[in-house]
Amino acid sequence: MTQGAGQGPVVRTATLRDFRVPPYAQVPVQGHTEHPQPEQPHQPAAHPAALPPHPQSASQAPEHRVPAQAQQPSAHQHLQPPHPTQHQAPHAPAQTAPPPHPGDAVPDDEYPDGYTPTERDLPVINRGDTLQVSVAPPAPATAPSPHAGQGQGPGPLYVVGDVHGYLDELLAALHEQGLVDGDGHWAAGNTRLWFLGDFTDRGPDGIGVIDLVMRLSAEAAAAGGYCKALMGNHELLLLGAKRFGDTPVNSGAGTATFQAAWLLNGGQKIDMDRLQDVHLQWMSRLDAIVEEDGHLLLHSDTTAYLEYGDTIEDVNDTVHEILTRNDADECWDLFRKFTKRFAFRDEGGAHAVRELLDAYGGERIVHGHSPIPYLLGEVGTEDADDEAGPVVEGPHVYADGLAIAMDGGVTMAGKLLVQQLPLPH
């Protein structure tokens, strides 16, 4: 197969994630009823702007990954409270590391021993040089007026961290901030909402998440606001799995394929089965970086963006051109570089942030990609006895106050973050 989907009936088979699964995330879900797979493909909402389709692709070596249980999708007809998720973590064989590559502000010898972009696990971070900045509580949210109109100027600015297929949690978080109503429709008038990427993989309903974001884009525009999204490394991965499938690519560590990397990093067969051209076209048009109100918004905490252009427009144009050229190796390299992380974390992190701000503008970087529990060193080993999940109350401000991390670790029983900007320094 070249579509990245498996054969036979859908079962709860183990897939590999790029993060260690702590014991507290392995507790079976109580009272959770799985819903059967729908017989017919889900029909997405129409995209508000019918732009010419771009060919799709993607790029990079598998992330740090750990086996997790793939979940069946649930029906999302009304707003539902978030549910904890069951994960398992059998050991997987170690993989050969690729050679060092550019784009990371932190030299390779600054990482823990054995760290590479293709390792099975993210390292457990309890080192003295880690910036131990407390999780900043979210600023009191001012509920957007549901009747704000187009003539009132820009509305408040919100950002959303990594979703990874957790549609129920996303709806609950958006509703809590007053951005959607109880039925999941736009209720925020002229509010501006940015998603920071990674809509699919690991969670039960990645295509449902994409459908929601596409629909909210149309509803927000009609109300005088907007809902937009950035390109995450998992969008690149899904595009590559669909476009290139089992085509061998030069990973820098031997032969690899997008399909294998997608499955190893939590790819869900139900998402691939429901993936349609409209989803592919939407993902392939996403920008990689944008500046809003002095905030430089991007998905990954890496300086690799600097390799793709000297301006925001250049970076976005280059990414779109790569996805259009239909070159598997080129797309793999893009995916590999956008999967790098931790460039803003330890000593030299503030300098790396300033490199990006000096190049592209803005006063602060806001990113997803690296879960806050790992940035803070609050995740223990797989053998730990502590069954309490990571405590994530809000975004993590670090790197001398210049960086804001928005991935609350929803895949590890953390929190899906929706935050109004600006945050206090």
Side-chain angles (χ1 to χ4, degrees):
M1 296 271 306
T2 60
Q3 303 301 309
Q7 299 282 353
V10 177
V11 294
R12 296 174 62 87
T13 54
T15 59
L16 292 180
R17 297 189 319 169
D18 52 347
F19 304 125
R20 184 185 302 275
V21 183
Y24 53 76
Q26 303 175 28
V27 179
V29 178
Q30 300 297 324
H32 180 69
T33 302
E34 292 187 355
H35 298 270
Q37 176 185 354
E39 297 181 0
Q40 299 298 327
H42 180 76
Q43 295 297 325
H47 193 271
L51 299 178
H54 278 284
Q56 308 79 33
S57 0
S59 57
Q60 139 78 40
E63 307 173 21
H64 314 276
R65 39 196 176 271
V66 169
Q69 290 291 347
Q71 298 190 17
Q72 301 284 350
S74 58
H76 302 285
Q77 312 220 337
H78 301 287
L79 177 64
Q80 300 180 17
H83 298 290
T85 306
Q86 179 179 351
H87 296 298
Q88 293 182 354
H91 291 289
Q95 302 191 13
T96 305
H101 47 76
D104 212 353
V106 183
D108 288 342
D109 57 7
E110 296 274 339
Y111 284 116
D113 291 341
Y115 175 89
T116 77
T118 56
E119 289 261 335
R120 181 176 70 91
D121 299 327
L122 268 175
V124 176
I125 307 163
N126 280 311
R127 309 188 340 247
D129 58 345
T130 299
L131 293 177
Q132 297 292 333
V133 181
S134 300
V135 175
T142 302
S145 170
H147 306 293
Q150 297 184 13
Q152 298 182 355
L157 176 64
Y158 283 79
V159 289
V160 184
D162 299 36
V163 182
H164 283 299
Y166 287 89
L167 180 57
D168 288 341
E169 287 82 349
L170 174 59
L171 284 167
L174 292 172
H175 184 259
E176 182 180 2
Q177 293 287 354
L179 301 174
V180 301
D181 61 23
D183 293 320
H185 293 287
W186 185 259
N190 66 346
T191 293
R192 298 167 294 159
L193 179 63
W194 275 100
F195 285 80
L196 299 180
D198 279 9
F199 301 103
T200 67
D201 304 335
R202 305 192 192 115
D205 195 1
I207 299 302
V209 170
I210 292 176
D211 285 340
L212 174 66
V213 177
M214 292 170 64
R215 174 170 60 77
L216 290 178
S217 297
E219 294 177 354
Y226 62 69
C227 171
K228 299 183 180 182
L230 293 178
M231 176 81 71
N233 62 307
H234 280 263
E235 281 67 65
L236 293 170
L237 183 58
L238 181 57
L239 285 168
K242 180 68 173 181
R243 182 74 174 179
F244 302 111
D246 286 323
T247 301
V249 295
N250 181 13
S251 71
T255 301
T257 70
F258 271 109
Q259 180 177 330
W262 172 72
L263 290 170
L264 288 170
N265 286 283
Q268 303 295 303
K269 181 182 183 297
I270 186 64
D271 284 343
M272 189 63 75
D273 289 344
R274 295 165 59 198
L275 188 62
Q276 300 181 20
D277 285 345
V278 65
H279 303 124
L280 297 168
Q281 294 164 14
W282 181 81
M283 286 190 291
S284 66
R285 291 195 299 263
L286 296 176
D287 285 338
I289 188 169
V290 71
E291 191 270 335
E292 288 279 0
D293 295 355
H295 299 91
L296 190 62
L297 309 181
L298 41 81
H299 174 70
S300 305
D301 46 329
T302 176
T303 58
Y305 294 91
L306 294 169
E307 299 183 40
Y308 294 96
D310 296 330
T311 68
I312 289 175
E313 183 179 13
D314 288 343
V315 173
N316 293 329
D317 286 347
T318 301
V319 170
H320 295 153
E321 289 168 4
I322 290 172
L323 294 179
T324 300
R325 281 197 288 265
N326 197 31
D327 184 311
D329 285 328
E330 190 177 24
C331 292
W332 181 269
D333 191 59
L334 179 66
F335 167 55
R336 176 176 65 86
K337 289 174 180 174
F338 276 26
T339 303
K340 292 176 70 66
R341 63 177 84 248
F342 297 148
F344 313 147
R345 198 189 62 197
D346 305 312
E347 183 179 356
H351 174 72
V353 173
R354 290 188 182 97
E355 280 191 88
L356 289 165
L357 295 177
D358 289 345
Y360 303 129
E363 300 175 359
R364 277 176 135 179
I365 281 179
V366 183
H367 70 85
H369 190 49
S370 291
I372 291 170
Y374 282 98
L375 290 170
L376 290 175
E378 292 179 348
V379 176
T381 66
E382 294 176 79
D383 299 325
D385 295 329
D386 185 9
E387 295 186 356
V391 178
V392 177
E393 298 295 339
H396 172 44
V397 181
Y398 68 119
D400 293 348
L402 296 174
I404 301 173
M406 282 293 300
D407 184 352
V410 65
T411 63
M412 57 180 71
K415 185 175 183 179
L416 201 161
L417 295 178
V418 179
Q419 178 65 48
Q420 184 175 358
L421 299 177
L423 282 175
H425 282 74

